[in-house]
mmCIF file of all heavy atoms in Angstrom:
data_model
loop_
_atom_site.group_PDB
_atom_site.id
_atom_site.type_symbol
_atom_site.label_atom_id
_atom_site.label_comp_id
_atom_site.label_asym_id
_atom_site.label_seq_id
_atom_site.Cartn_x
_atom_site.Cartn_y
_atom_site.Cartn_z
ATOM 1 N N PRO A 960 -52.733 16.764 0.051
ATOM 2 C CA PRO A 960 -53.235 17.988 0.650
ATOM 3 C C PRO A 960 -52.286 18.545 1.641
ATOM 4 O O PRO A 960 -51.425 17.907 2.132
ATOM 5 C CB PRO A 960 -54.477 17.498 1.393
ATOM 6 C CG PRO A 960 -54.253 16.043 1.701
ATOM 7 C CD PRO A 960 -53.378 15.527 0.575
ATOM 8 N N ALA A 961 -52.379 19.869 1.836
ATOM 9 C CA ALA A 961 -51.547 20.539 2.816
ATOM 10 C C ALA A 961 -51.892 19.891 4.185
ATOM 11 O O ALA A 961 -53.026 19.468 4.427
ATOM 12 C CB ALA A 961 -51.882 22.037 2.849
ATOM 13 N N GLY A 962 -50.923 19.840 5.053
ATOM 14 C CA GLY A 962 -51.134 19.291 6.371
ATOM 15 C C GLY A 962 -50.963 17.776 6.432
ATOM 16 O O GLY A 962 -51.331 17.167 7.456
ATOM 17 N N ALA A 963 -50.424 17.136 5.357
ATOM 18 C CA ALA A 963 -50.272 15.752 5.324
ATOM 19 C C ALA A 963 -49.006 15.357 6.190
ATOM 20 O O ALA A 963 -48.140 16.200 6.409
ATOM 21 C CB ALA A 963 -50.098 15.223 3.900
ATOM 22 N N PRO A 964 -48.939 14.127 6.636
ATOM 23 C CA PRO A 964 -47.779 13.694 7.383
ATOM 24 C C PRO A 964 -46.526 13.439 6.495
ATOM 25 O O PRO A 964 -46.646 13.426 5.235
ATOM 26 C CB PRO A 964 -48.187 12.306 7.978
ATOM 27 C CG PRO A 964 -49.620 12.227 7.766
ATOM 28 C CD PRO A 964 -49.963 13.118 6.607
ATOM 29 N N LEU A 965 -45.354 13.322 7.178
ATOM 30 C CA LEU A 965 -44.131 13.018 6.429
ATOM 31 C C LEU A 965 -43.466 11.874 7.146
ATOM 32 O O LEU A 965 -43.375 11.820 8.356
ATOM 33 C CB LEU A 965 -43.176 14.245 6.453
ATOM 34 C CG LEU A 965 -41.780 14.070 5.919
ATOM 35 C CD1 LEU A 965 -41.752 13.779 4.432
ATOM 36 C CD2 LEU A 965 -40.898 15.314 6.230
ATOM 37 N N VAL A 966 -42.952 10.936 6.345
ATOM 38 C CA VAL A 966 -42.148 9.851 6.905
ATOM 39 C C VAL A 966 -40.683 9.936 6.306
ATOM 40 O O VAL A 966 -40.550 9.968 5.096
ATOM 41 C CB VAL A 966 -42.719 8.461 6.554
ATOM 42 C CG1 VAL A 966 -41.843 7.346 7.108
ATOM 43 C CG2 VAL A 966 -44.133 8.345 7.214
ATOM 44 N N VAL A 967 -39.672 9.922 7.158
ATOM 45 C CA VAL A 967 -38.313 9.909 6.751
ATOM 46 C C VAL A 967 -37.843 8.461 6.862
ATOM 47 O O VAL A 967 -37.981 7.827 7.925
ATOM 48 C CB VAL A 967 -37.468 10.768 7.674
ATOM 49 C CG1 VAL A 967 -35.944 10.779 7.278
ATOM 50 C CG2 VAL A 967 -37.967 12.244 7.696
ATOM 51 N N VAL A 968 -37.320 7.910 5.711
ATOM 52 C CA VAL A 968 -36.990 6.519 5.644
ATOM 53 C C VAL A 968 -35.467 6.349 5.426
ATOM 54 O O VAL A 968 -34.957 6.898 4.420
ATOM 55 C CB VAL A 968 -37.778 5.818 4.495
ATOM 56 C CG1 VAL A 968 -37.432 4.364 4.399
ATOM 57 C CG2 VAL A 968 -39.292 5.977 4.681
ATOM 58 N N LEU A 969 -34.806 5.624 6.313
ATOM 59 C CA LEU A 969 -33.379 5.413 6.237
ATOM 60 C C LEU A 969 -33.030 3.984 5.918
ATOM 61 O O LEU A 969 -33.379 3.044 6.646
ATOM 62 C CB LEU A 969 -32.752 5.819 7.596
ATOM 63 C CG LEU A 969 -33.049 7.253 8.027
ATOM 64 C CD1 LEU A 969 -32.547 7.450 9.477
ATOM 65 C CD2 LEU A 969 -32.412 8.270 7.096
ATOM 66 N N HIS A 970 -32.385 3.833 4.744
ATOM 67 C CA HIS A 970 -32.041 2.473 4.241
ATOM 68 C C HIS A 970 -30.924 1.789 5.074
ATOM 69 O O HIS A 970 -30.197 2.409 5.828
ATOM 70 C CB HIS A 970 -31.636 2.574 2.787
ATOM 71 C CG HIS A 970 -30.350 3.384 2.543
ATOM 72 N ND1 HIS A 970 -29.127 2.898 2.743
ATOM 73 C CD2 HIS A 970 -30.248 4.638 2.096
ATOM 74 C CE1 HIS A 970 -28.215 3.824 2.451
ATOM 75 N NE2 HIS A 970 -28.855 4.910 2.055
ATOM 76 N N GLY A 971 -30.730 0.531 4.788
ATOM 77 C CA GLY A 971 -29.634 -0.228 5.450
ATOM 78 C C GLY A 971 -28.392 -0.231 4.663
ATOM 79 O O GLY A 971 -28.290 0.336 3.529
ATOM 80 N N CYS A 972 -27.365 -0.866 5.129
ATOM 81 C CA CYS A 972 -26.076 -0.973 4.449
ATOM 82 C C CYS A 972 -26.243 -1.604 3.130
ATOM 83 O O CYS A 972 -27.059 -2.509 2.891
ATOM 84 C CB CYS A 972 -25.076 -1.756 5.316
ATOM 85 S SG CYS A 972 -24.646 -0.953 6.862
ATOM 86 N N THR A 973 -25.415 -1.214 2.155
ATOM 87 C CA THR A 973 -25.371 -1.629 0.751
ATOM 88 C C THR A 973 -26.555 -1.264 -0.055
ATOM 89 O O THR A 973 -26.605 -1.409 -1.248
ATOM 90 C CB THR A 973 -25.151 -3.179 0.617
ATOM 91 O OG1 THR A 973 -26.398 -3.858 0.891
ATOM 92 C CG2 THR A 973 -23.994 -3.690 1.487
ATOM 93 N N GLN A 974 -27.564 -0.645 0.529
ATOM 94 C CA GLN A 974 -28.776 -0.280 -0.162
ATOM 95 C C GLN A 974 -28.654 1.197 -0.686
ATOM 96 O O GLN A 974 -27.879 1.991 -0.243
ATOM 97 C CB GLN A 974 -29.992 -0.381 0.736
ATOM 98 C CG GLN A 974 -30.307 -1.791 1.113
ATOM 99 C CD GLN A 974 -31.523 -1.896 2.037
ATOM 100 O OE1 GLN A 974 -31.655 -1.151 2.918
ATOM 101 N NE2 GLN A 974 -32.343 -2.873 1.753
ATOM 102 N N THR A 975 -29.584 1.505 -1.605
ATOM 103 C CA THR A 975 -29.817 2.859 -2.039
ATOM 104 C C THR A 975 -31.265 3.196 -1.629
ATOM 105 O O THR A 975 -32.030 2.318 -1.265
ATOM 106 C CB THR A 975 -29.692 2.976 -3.593
ATOM 107 O OG1 THR A 975 -30.711 2.202 -4.182
ATOM 108 C CG2 THR A 975 -28.304 2.554 -4.051
ATOM 109 N N ALA A 976 -31.600 4.435 -1.753
ATOM 110 C CA ALA A 976 -32.999 4.816 -1.478
ATOM 111 C C ALA A 976 -33.945 4.139 -2.358
ATOM 112 O O ALA A 976 -34.966 3.545 -1.915
ATOM 113 C CB ALA A 976 -33.145 6.345 -1.677
ATOM 114 N N ALA A 977 -33.647 4.000 -3.673
ATOM 115 C CA ALA A 977 -34.548 3.348 -4.667
ATOM 116 C C ALA A 977 -34.656 1.864 -4.331
ATOM 117 O O ALA A 977 -35.813 1.310 -4.408
ATOM 118 C CB ALA A 977 -34.000 3.528 -6.043
ATOM 119 N N SER A 978 -33.554 1.194 -4.010
ATOM 120 C CA SER A 978 -33.674 -0.249 -3.706
ATOM 121 C C SER A 978 -34.471 -0.522 -2.438
ATOM 122 O O SER A 978 -35.219 -1.473 -2.389
ATOM 123 C CB SER A 978 -32.288 -0.927 -3.675
ATOM 124 O OG SER A 978 -31.548 -0.473 -2.521
ATOM 125 N N TYR A 979 -34.294 0.329 -1.441
ATOM 126 C CA TYR A 979 -35.059 0.112 -0.248
ATOM 127 C C TYR A 979 -36.543 0.426 -0.443
ATOM 128 O O TYR A 979 -37.382 -0.310 0.038
ATOM 129 C CB TYR A 979 -34.486 0.993 0.939
ATOM 130 C CG TYR A 979 -35.084 0.602 2.244
ATOM 131 C CD1 TYR A 979 -35.245 -0.715 2.674
ATOM 132 C CD2 TYR A 979 -35.468 1.638 3.148
ATOM 133 C CE1 TYR A 979 -35.761 -1.050 3.903
ATOM 134 C CE2 TYR A 979 -36.015 1.313 4.396
ATOM 135 C CZ TYR A 979 -36.209 -0.007 4.770
ATOM 136 O OH TYR A 979 -36.760 -0.336 5.937
ATOM 137 N N ASP A 980 -36.837 1.424 -1.236
ATOM 138 C CA ASP A 980 -38.211 1.763 -1.518
ATOM 139 C C ASP A 980 -38.848 0.593 -2.288
ATOM 140 O O ASP A 980 -39.982 0.154 -2.023
ATOM 141 C CB ASP A 980 -38.342 3.081 -2.309
ATOM 142 C CG ASP A 980 -39.796 3.363 -2.647
ATOM 143 O OD1 ASP A 980 -40.619 3.331 -1.706
ATOM 144 O OD2 ASP A 980 -40.045 3.650 -3.814
ATOM 145 N N HIS A 981 -38.040 0.053 -3.274
ATOM 146 C CA HIS A 981 -38.655 -1.060 -4.083
ATOM 147 C C HIS A 981 -38.992 -2.265 -3.174
ATOM 148 O O HIS A 981 -40.029 -2.871 -3.303
ATOM 149 C CB HIS A 981 -37.652 -1.460 -5.171
ATOM 150 C CG HIS A 981 -38.118 -2.599 -5.928
ATOM 151 N ND1 HIS A 981 -39.064 -2.511 -6.936
ATOM 152 C CD2 HIS A 981 -37.798 -3.944 -5.884
ATOM 153 C CE1 HIS A 981 -39.319 -3.673 -7.444
ATOM 154 N NE2 HIS A 981 -38.551 -4.562 -6.859
ATOM 155 N N GLY A 982 -38.061 -2.613 -2.249
ATOM 156 C CA GLY A 982 -38.288 -3.732 -1.370
ATOM 157 C C GLY A 982 -39.332 -3.517 -0.328
ATOM 158 O O GLY A 982 -40.011 -4.456 0.097
ATOM 159 N N SER A 983 -39.424 -2.275 0.173
ATOM 160 C CA SER A 983 -40.282 -2.017 1.309
ATOM 161 C C SER A 983 -41.626 -1.513 0.935
ATOM 162 O O SER A 983 -42.590 -1.636 1.696
ATOM 163 C CB SER A 983 -39.604 -0.969 2.263
ATOM 164 O OG SER A 983 -39.492 0.236 1.557
ATOM 165 N N GLY A 984 -41.751 -0.910 -0.183
ATOM 166 C CA GLY A 984 -43.039 -0.361 -0.675
ATOM 167 C C GLY A 984 -43.481 0.929 0.016
ATOM 168 O O GLY A 984 -44.670 1.302 -0.089
ATOM 169 N N TRP A 985 -42.556 1.692 0.547
ATOM 170 C CA TRP A 985 -42.932 2.944 1.207
ATOM 171 C C TRP A 985 -43.650 3.891 0.270
ATOM 172 O O TRP A 985 -44.632 4.524 0.709
ATOM 173 C CB TRP A 985 -41.752 3.583 1.842
ATOM 174 C CG TRP A 985 -41.427 3.115 3.237
ATOM 175 C CD1 TRP A 985 -40.432 2.248 3.646
ATOM 176 C CD2 TRP A 985 -42.178 3.383 4.408
ATOM 177 N NE1 TRP A 985 -40.527 2.008 4.961
ATOM 178 C CE2 TRP A 985 -41.577 2.686 5.505
ATOM 179 C CE3 TRP A 985 -43.324 4.160 4.666
ATOM 180 C CZ2 TRP A 985 -42.055 2.747 6.782
ATOM 181 C CZ3 TRP A 985 -43.805 4.221 6.003
ATOM 182 C CH2 TRP A 985 -43.175 3.515 7.005
ATOM 183 N N SER A 986 -43.186 4.107 -0.944
ATOM 184 C CA SER A 986 -43.833 5.075 -1.852
ATOM 185 C C SER A 986 -45.214 4.650 -2.221
ATOM 186 O O SER A 986 -46.140 5.468 -2.382
ATOM 187 C CB SER A 986 -42.930 5.383 -3.042
ATOM 188 O OG SER A 986 -42.829 4.222 -3.889
ATOM 189 N N ARG A 987 -45.411 3.359 -2.367
ATOM 190 C CA ARG A 987 -46.757 2.883 -2.731
ATOM 191 C C ARG A 987 -47.704 3.037 -1.507
ATOM 192 O O ARG A 987 -48.891 3.412 -1.650
ATOM 193 C CB ARG A 987 -46.712 1.420 -3.166
ATOM 194 C CG ARG A 987 -46.007 1.263 -4.502
ATOM 195 C CD ARG A 987 -46.018 -0.201 -4.997
ATOM 196 N NE ARG A 987 -45.102 -0.356 -6.073
ATOM 197 C CZ ARG A 987 -45.244 0.055 -7.308
ATOM 198 N NH1 ARG A 987 -46.299 0.722 -7.633
ATOM 199 N NH2 ARG A 987 -44.374 -0.203 -8.231
ATOM 200 N N LEU A 988 -47.180 2.763 -0.335
ATOM 201 C CA LEU A 988 -48.000 2.992 0.894
ATOM 202 C C LEU A 988 -48.341 4.468 1.020
ATOM 203 O O LEU A 988 -49.474 4.845 1.431
ATOM 204 C CB LEU A 988 -47.223 2.502 2.114
ATOM 205 C CG LEU A 988 -47.955 2.655 3.467
ATOM 206 C CD1 LEU A 988 -49.261 1.945 3.455
ATOM 207 C CD2 LEU A 988 -47.051 2.215 4.569
ATOM 208 N N ALA A 989 -47.377 5.345 0.693
ATOM 209 C CA ALA A 989 -47.646 6.803 0.761
ATOM 210 C C ALA A 989 -48.793 7.206 -0.149
ATOM 211 O O ALA A 989 -49.641 8.048 0.195
ATOM 212 C CB ALA A 989 -46.378 7.547 0.393
ATOM 213 N N ASP A 990 -48.842 6.598 -1.378
ATOM 214 C CA ASP A 990 -49.947 6.901 -2.298
ATOM 215 C C ASP A 990 -51.265 6.444 -1.706
ATOM 216 O O ASP A 990 -52.256 7.185 -1.801
ATOM 217 C CB ASP A 990 -49.728 6.161 -3.621
ATOM 218 C CG ASP A 990 -48.636 6.740 -4.479
ATOM 219 O OD1 ASP A 990 -48.297 7.950 -4.246
ATOM 220 O OD2 ASP A 990 -48.146 6.055 -5.384
ATOM 221 N N ARG A 991 -51.301 5.299 -1.111
ATOM 222 C CA ARG A 991 -52.544 4.771 -0.506
ATOM 223 C C ARG A 991 -53.002 5.504 0.754
ATOM 224 O O ARG A 991 -54.208 5.750 0.938
ATOM 225 C CB ARG A 991 -52.425 3.281 -0.188
ATOM 226 C CG ARG A 991 -52.359 2.354 -1.429
ATOM 227 C CD ARG A 991 -52.648 0.924 -1.090
ATOM 228 N NE ARG A 991 -51.825 0.410 -0.011
ATOM 229 C CZ ARG A 991 -50.667 -0.221 -0.153
ATOM 230 N NH1 ARG A 991 -50.175 -0.355 -1.386
ATOM 231 N NH2 ARG A 991 -50.035 -0.635 0.838
ATOM 232 N N ALA A 992 -52.010 5.859 1.599
ATOM 233 C CA ALA A 992 -52.408 6.409 2.893
ATOM 234 C C ALA A 992 -52.348 7.972 2.957
ATOM 235 O O ALA A 992 -52.765 8.547 3.908
ATOM 236 C CB ALA A 992 -51.515 5.819 4.008
ATOM 237 N N GLY A 993 -51.712 8.596 1.952
ATOM 238 C CA GLY A 993 -51.739 10.050 1.856
ATOM 239 C C GLY A 993 -50.685 10.721 2.727
ATOM 240 O O GLY A 993 -50.972 11.534 3.590
ATOM 241 N N PHE A 994 -49.361 10.344 2.506
ATOM 242 C CA PHE A 994 -48.310 11.063 3.237
ATOM 243 C C PHE A 994 -47.127 11.206 2.286
ATOM 244 O O PHE A 994 -47.081 10.451 1.231
ATOM 245 C CB PHE A 994 -47.903 10.351 4.512
ATOM 246 C CG PHE A 994 -47.402 8.968 4.378
ATOM 247 C CD1 PHE A 994 -46.125 8.692 4.081
ATOM 248 C CD2 PHE A 994 -48.324 7.890 4.525
ATOM 249 C CE1 PHE A 994 -45.666 7.295 3.917
ATOM 250 C CE2 PHE A 994 -47.895 6.553 4.381
ATOM 251 C CZ PHE A 994 -46.564 6.304 4.102
ATOM 252 N N ALA A 995 -46.233 12.050 2.578
ATOM 253 C CA ALA A 995 -45.011 12.273 1.791
ATOM 254 C C ALA A 995 -43.878 11.446 2.398
ATOM 255 O O ALA A 995 -43.915 11.158 3.590
ATOM 256 C CB ALA A 995 -44.612 13.681 1.712
ATOM 257 N N VAL A 996 -42.903 11.077 1.551
ATOM 258 C CA VAL A 996 -41.783 10.328 2.011
ATOM 259 C C VAL A 996 -40.456 10.957 1.563
ATOM 260 O O VAL A 996 -40.366 11.407 0.392
ATOM 261 C CB VAL A 996 -41.798 8.834 1.470
ATOM 262 C CG1 VAL A 996 -40.729 7.989 2.147
ATOM 263 C CG2 VAL A 996 -43.176 8.257 1.643
ATOM 264 N N VAL A 997 -39.478 11.012 2.437
ATOM 265 C CA VAL A 997 -38.157 11.480 2.062
ATOM 266 C C VAL A 997 -37.180 10.347 2.464
ATOM 267 O O VAL A 997 -37.232 9.833 3.518
ATOM 268 C CB VAL A 997 -37.756 12.846 2.668
ATOM 269 C CG1 VAL A 997 -37.755 12.809 4.176
ATOM 270 C CG2 VAL A 997 -36.345 13.284 2.160
ATOM 271 N N PHE A 998 -36.281 10.021 1.481
ATOM 272 C CA PHE A 998 -35.297 8.992 1.652
ATOM 273 C C PHE A 998 -33.920 9.625 1.634
ATOM 274 O O PHE A 998 -33.377 9.844 0.532
ATOM 275 C CB PHE A 998 -35.383 7.985 0.489
ATOM 276 C CG PHE A 998 -36.515 7.048 0.544
ATOM 277 C CD1 PHE A 998 -37.798 7.385 0.093
ATOM 278 C CD2 PHE A 998 -36.337 5.712 1.029
ATOM 279 C CE1 PHE A 998 -38.824 6.538 0.095
ATOM 280 C CE2 PHE A 998 -37.368 4.810 0.989
ATOM 281 C CZ PHE A 998 -38.637 5.159 0.547
ATOM 282 N N PRO A 999 -33.306 9.975 2.735
ATOM 283 C CA PRO A 999 -31.879 10.260 2.688
ATOM 284 C C PRO A 999 -31.056 9.083 2.190
ATOM 285 O O PRO A 999 -31.447 7.953 2.430
ATOM 286 C CB PRO A 999 -31.522 10.560 4.148
ATOM 287 C CG PRO A 999 -32.828 10.924 4.771
ATOM 288 C CD PRO A 999 -33.824 10.050 4.082
ATOM 289 N N GLU A 1000 -30.022 9.323 1.461
ATOM 290 C CA GLU A 1000 -29.225 8.234 0.896
ATOM 291 C C GLU A 1000 -27.762 8.437 1.214
ATOM 292 O O GLU A 1000 -27.174 9.504 0.929
ATOM 293 C CB GLU A 1000 -29.420 8.121 -0.625
ATOM 294 C CG GLU A 1000 -28.698 6.943 -1.224
ATOM 295 C CD GLU A 1000 -28.941 6.854 -2.711
ATOM 296 O OE1 GLU A 1000 -30.083 6.381 -3.088
ATOM 297 O OE2 GLU A 1000 -28.091 7.213 -3.492
ATOM 298 N N GLN A 1001 -27.140 7.433 1.695
ATOM 299 C CA GLN A 1001 -25.685 7.445 1.954
ATOM 300 C C GLN A 1001 -24.905 7.304 0.673
ATOM 301 O O GLN A 1001 -25.428 6.687 -0.296
ATOM 302 C CB GLN A 1001 -25.315 6.282 2.995
ATOM 303 C CG GLN A 1001 -23.890 6.326 3.389
ATOM 304 C CD GLN A 1001 -23.420 7.528 4.051
ATOM 305 O OE1 GLN A 1001 -23.187 8.567 3.426
ATOM 306 N NE2 GLN A 1001 -23.347 7.558 5.405
ATOM 307 N N THR A 1002 -23.718 7.762 0.669
ATOM 308 C CA THR A 1002 -22.815 7.648 -0.547
ATOM 309 C C THR A 1002 -21.595 6.799 -0.204
ATOM 310 O O THR A 1002 -21.234 6.634 0.942
ATOM 311 C CB THR A 1002 -22.347 9.019 -1.018
ATOM 312 O OG1 THR A 1002 -21.459 9.555 0.025
ATOM 313 C CG2 THR A 1002 -23.508 9.984 -1.260
#
């Protein structure tokens, strides 16, 4: 819904956004709790 929260998630060294999400479960938590997630990724 409009007006939902947003969480910005920053991974650690050697990680990618996908690997950190897989290990931490942020996107699954977002589905359950109703918020959006953005993962900046270092190159």
Side-chain angles (χ1 to χ4, degrees):
L965 173 65
V966 177
V967 178
V968 180
L969 302 172
H970 63 79
C972 295
T973 76
Q974 294 179 316
T975 63
S978 68
Y979 190 44
D980 181 50
H981 177 76
S983 65
W985 273 106
S986 64
R987 293 184 192 287
L988 181 60
D990 287 341
R991 289 197 308 268
F994 60 86
V996 189
V997 59
F998 286 81
E1000 183 178 287
Q1001 184 59 283
T1002 66

